[in-house]
Amino acid sequence: EAAERAKSFEGKQQTVKKKQESKLSKDGKAIYGKHFVIKSVTNIRAIDEGSGFVTIEGDVFMKEQKSIQDGKKIIFTFAVTDYTSTINCKFFLTPQEAADLDVLLNGHIALNGRPAYDSFSNEVVIRPLNIISVKQEKKTDNAPKKRIEMHLHTKMSQMDSVVDANQLVKTMLQYGHDTVAITDHGVVQAFTGMEDAL
């Protein structure tokens, strides 16, 4: 009886392991497709529908799923920014593949594929062939005398910035800076975010 329970438990563990393994990766190393070596990276702002095969690197910050064909297929869209610009990437996946990708696709990535004009969204998008996770090196400020930013807007300045005050303080401390001046337009809401970060 104990042996049967052990065998049953082992079977359940194998089932869980299979569910955790992504069916998207063809070699077990990539998030989608195959692992590749990054040789050169194209800035997103330089990409258009005539760019040909490109490799980009950046942060994933938006994911969206839209069901088509009575739920048999999913249009999976995600946005990548390299802080020169942002581009949407699109897949046509099964519901299970979309669920797997939604879990795996986060943080800093590199992908390659061909940009193409999408008539549905009226923009250039990338249809990725391969996606890998990339470890992002933290930026540092090694200057012995740190500069002081005396004119900085946060996202509280409407239509003028996307900087989060809380993240600003964390980045500033990471760089070894001890002073910053926030000059938002007519608001003081950023100060609570700064105070929370300290």
Side-chain angles (χ1 to χ4, degrees):
E1 189 179 339
E4 287 180 6
R5 284 202 303 267
K7 191 174 181 180
S8 175
F9 177 75
E10 186 180 348
K12 287 178 182 177
Q13 289 294 95
Q14 290 297 325
T15 302
V16 169
K17 186 178 179 183
K18 284 181 181 178
K19 285 182 179 179
Q20 288 174 342
E21 290 174 353
S22 171
K23 295 177 182 176
L24 303 169
S25 175
K26 294 178 182 176
D27 57 12
K29 298 177 182 178
I31 295 172
Y32 180 88
K34 295 181 180 179
H35 183 79
F36 62 93
V37 176
I38 302 171
K39 294 180 179 177
S40 64
V41 174
T42 302
N43 286 340
I44 293 175
R45 70 181 173 192
I47 291 175
D48 59 34
E49 58 187 310
S51 295
F53 192 79
V54 297
T55 298
I56 64 170
E57 185 177 332
D59 294 326
V60 175
F61 71 93
M62 184 281 292
K63 292 178 284 188
E64 181 181 75
Q65 298 185 41
K66 187 175 288 185
S67 178
I68 58 173
Q69 296 179 8
D70 295 330
K72 294 178 182 177
K73 285 286 183 181
I74 301 290
I75 300 175
F76 190 102
T77 305
F78 66 96
V80 178
T81 182
D82 65 357
Y83 304 98
T84 68
S85 189
T86 299
I87 195 163
N88 283 328
C89 304
K90 283 191 174 183
F91 290 103
F92 291 91
L93 303 171
T94 67
Q96 184 58 56
E97 288 171 337
D100 289 346
L101 190 62
D102 192 45
V103 172
L104 296 169
L105 192 63
N106 292 292
H108 199 72
I109 63 163
L111 65 85
N112 55 36
R114 292 186 181 279
Y117 184 76
D118 182 7
S119 58
F120 183 78
S121 58
N122 296 317
E123 63 180 349
V124 174
V125 302
I126 293 181
R127 315 259 188 219
L129 294 179
N130 307 293
I131 306 174
I132 59 173
S133 181
V134 177
K135 186 176 181 181
Q136 188 176 19
E137 293 184 12
K138 288 187 176 181
K139 293 182 180 179
T140 59
D141 182 352
N142 299 318
K145 189 174 182 180
K146 309 297 183 186
R147 70 189 294 275
I148 297 175
E149 178 58 66
M150 297 299 294
H151 182 74
L152 191 143
H153 295 169
T154 72
K155 63 183 181 181
M156 296 302 173
S157 288
Q158 193 173 15
M159 304 296 288
D160 197 26
S161 176
V162 294
V163 175
D164 180 80
N166 190 291
Q167 187 59 48
L168 165 66
V169 173
K170 291 178 181 177
T171 302
M172 188 182 76
L173 294 174
Q174 177 189 319
Y175 287 177
H177 295 202
D178 58 12
T179 307
V180 65
I182 288 181
T183 53
D184 281 328
H185 299 303
V187 294
V188 294
Q189 284 95 327
F191 289 108
T192 57
M194 290 185 72
E195 190 175 27
D196 289 344
L198 293 173

